[in-house]
Amino acid sequence: MTSNLLEEDVENILGGVLDRAEGTLYVVDPSAAIIEAFVAVAADVDGGPDVRLLADEDVLKYVMDDFLVGSRAADLVEEGTLEMRTLVEDEDNSLLVSEESVMALVTSGENVGALVTEDREFVDAVVDAYDGVWADAEPFNLRTPGISHVRETLAAEIGEATRDDFEAVLGAVETARGNGDGLDEVTISLLVAAKNDVLLYDISKWGEDVGIASKATFSRTKTWLEDVGAIDTEKVPIDVGRPRLRLKLGDERLVGADPDELASIALELTSE
């Protein structure tokens, strides 16, 4: 029989469950922090169970609005290892339910505990119950593109240097939501495009094609970044039609900045 668990962070518990569970694993009514931790851990696990995540719709929308989380979750969905549906009613506990055990997650201060039972009759009953809840639940529509597809297409269509800068800036931020809470994926795309002298047309077309945002959103964000002095543009004549705009970094501090510095300076500029 598995003993109850006590860890300093939920990632250790989730990692252990993903390593041991077979078949289907239900993640029931997780908090935003648990969903974020689960996606981070699951992204680094090869194989593992098929995960069915049942969560409050508002919580899912909030968590997946962070591109860092949503794009990783999209990879898991595309791989077929994760499905997400929304709960109609709140559950009494956050649960991890597999064919082998039922765990109730409990947080206390800086510690996270998992109350575990492997009682066969109880586990079977809980699995049956959540099979029914899952069948009645509505699928959650995740619109964020998978990070693997984003990386591949950015390198192929814009350039490997821009892809590398995009990944580096993503790695330097704690969240990618925008609206005063980190730099969002559109802002990061435009900043690294400006760092590499990419045309606005090219980066916005790529962004729309890959599913990050519409060309109109890229254009509005470009105008805003110009207004705060983060980027600048120069006109590039073409054979037919209006000149296109080449993106340039607009603040001298951004030129030659490493990813950490670029992210922090851009945050400072966009928060003013």
Side-chain angles (χ1 to χ4, degrees), residues 8 24 26 36 43 60 76 94 99 110 141 144 146 178 186 190 192 194 203 232 238 244 256 261 270:
E8 292 184 355
T24 299
Y26 284 106
E36 291 177 6
L60 274 175
L76 297 172
S94 294
E99 297 175 2
E110 297 181 356
N141 183 19
T144 307
V186 177
L190 289 167
V192 298
I203 195 68
D232 200 353
I238 58 176
R244 290 183 174 165
E261 292 172 334
T270 57

Side-chain angles (χ1 to χ4, degrees), residues 37-99:
F38 165 76
V39 171
V41 172
D44 292 331
V45 172
D46 291 328
D50 294 328
V51 178
R52 294 178 171 180
L53 194 153
L54 279 161
D56 177 83
E57 184 173 13
D58 289 339
V59 173
L60 274 175
K61 286 180 177 178
Y62 171 77
V63 173
M64 296 303 161
D65 188 51
D66 183 346
F67 183 77
L68 292 173
V69 182
S71 62
R72 290 178 179 175
D75 265 3
L76 297 172
V77 171
E78 290 170 9
E79 291 167 5
T81 58
L82 172 65
E83 290 184 80
M84 293 183 284
R85 296 187 181 181
T86 57
L87 284 168
V88 176
E89 298 179 359
D90 290 338
E91 299 293 311
D92 293 331
N93 299 288
S94 294
L95 302 176
L96 302 175
V97 181
S98 68
E99 297 175 2

